[in-house]
Amino acid sequence: MRVITGTARGRKLKTPENYDIRPTTDNVKEALFNIIQFDVEGRRVLDLFAGTGQLGIEALSRGAKSCVFIDESRDAVKIVKENLKSCGLNGTVFQMNALDYLRRGERFDLIFVDPPYDAGLYEPVLKSLNLVDNLSDGGIIICEARREESLPEMEEPYRKGKEYRYGKVKICIYTKESRI
C-alpha cells in the first residue's frame, strides 16, 4: 500500500499485522481519487473509520488543507500517526467513536466513510451526518461498502449520487447542494 500521487507520492504505508483493519486496495483508492480529483485541493477532510489513514493521507498528499482521522482502535490510531510521520504530513488524530465525533458539529468539505463492513454503521452515520449537518455546502461524502450493500438515501439538502463498482467493492458518492 502506497501513496499514489502528490507530495508523499510513492511512500509506503504501514499496514496492520492482523486483519482487524481492512485497508482500501490501491486500485479502488486510485479510482476513488480519479472521481474526486478536482475536489481535494484546499479542502477540509474527515477520514472516519480511518484504519491505516490512507484515504486522508492521500488527500493531504494531493493538497487538502487539513484532515481529521477518527478510529476507535488504539492500534489503528497508532498506525495513522506512524503513516503521517513517515509521509511528512500533519493531521489531527482522535481515538474515539465516529458517531460521538460527528456530534461535535464540525464541518468538512470531504468526508470518507469506510466502516467495518458488517458493523451496521452506514445508516446511523449517514443519518448523523444529515442531522448534525457536518458537510459544508457543495461538499462530498464518499462511502465504501461491499458491492451488494444497499446504502440509504439522505434527506435534503443531501443527495445520493452515482455508485461505482470495483470487483467486490462499491463506492457511493453523496453531495450537499449549495444553499444560495
Side-chain angles (χ1 to χ4, degrees):
M1 209 173 40
R2 295 184 183 276
V3 178
I4 298 167
T5 197
T7 59
R9 181 181 180 182
R11 296 276 171 88
K12 189 170 172 30
L13 299 175
K14 182 177 181 180
T15 57
E17 293 178 16
N18 59 34
Y19 288 95
D20 290 342
I21 298 172
R22 174 200 36 79
T24 301
T25 66
D26 283 347
N27 290 340
V28 171
K29 180 172 62 172
E30 187 168 6
L32 183 157
F33 278 93
N34 284 339
I35 295 165
I36 62 167
Q37 63 184 320
F38 302 112
D39 297 302
V40 177
E41 192 170 340
R43 306 302 170 107
R44 290 192 69 226
V45 178
L46 174 61
D47 190 350
L48 283 177
F49 312 99
T52 62
Q54 71 165 322
L55 296 177
I57 288 170
E58 187 71 39
L60 288 170
S61 180
R62 292 171 182 244
K65 179 179 180 180
S66 63
C67 186
V68 175
F69 299 84
I70 306 297
D71 206 293
E72 279 189 314
S73 164
R74 182 178 312 176
D75 292 337
V77 165
K78 182 180 177 199
I79 288 172
V80 170
K81 288 179 179 179
E82 290 172 6
N83 283 336
L84 282 166
K85 185 176 180 180
S86 74
C87 291
L89 299 170
N90 294 309
T92 306
V93 185
F94 293 109
Q95 180 186 347
M96 67 184 303
N97 177 280
L99 291 169
D100 290 341
Y101 182 79
L102 292 176
R103 287 186 200 105
R104 290 180 170 194
E106 287 186 63
R107 284 233 171 132
F108 297 91
D109 305 305
L110 181 59
I111 300 174
F112 296 109
V113 178
D114 186 12
Y117 283 169
D118 296 322
L121 290 167
Y122 295 103
E123 191 164 334
V125 166
L126 292 171
K127 278 186 179 183
S128 182
L129 284 165
N130 223 145
L131 181 66
V132 179
D133 199 21
N134 299 96
L135 194 63
S136 61
D137 288 352
I140 300 170
I141 298 168
I142 298 172
C143 284
E144 179 180 333
R146 274 196 181 105
R147 181 183 185 102
E148 61 275 0
E149 181 83 31
S150 178
L151 295 172
E153 297 289 332
M154 291 180 77
E155 293 179 28
E156 288 188 11
Y158 292 83
R159 191 173 123 285
K160 184 178 179 182
K162 190 167 181 180
E163 292 184 350
Y164 302 84
R165 289 172 171 72
Y166 305 98
K168 297 178 181 180
V169 175
K170 170 170 49 179
I171 301 293
C172 184
I173 308 294
Y174 293 85
T175 56
K176 181 180 175 189
E177 301 299 318
S178 296
R179 297 177 188 164
I180 299 175

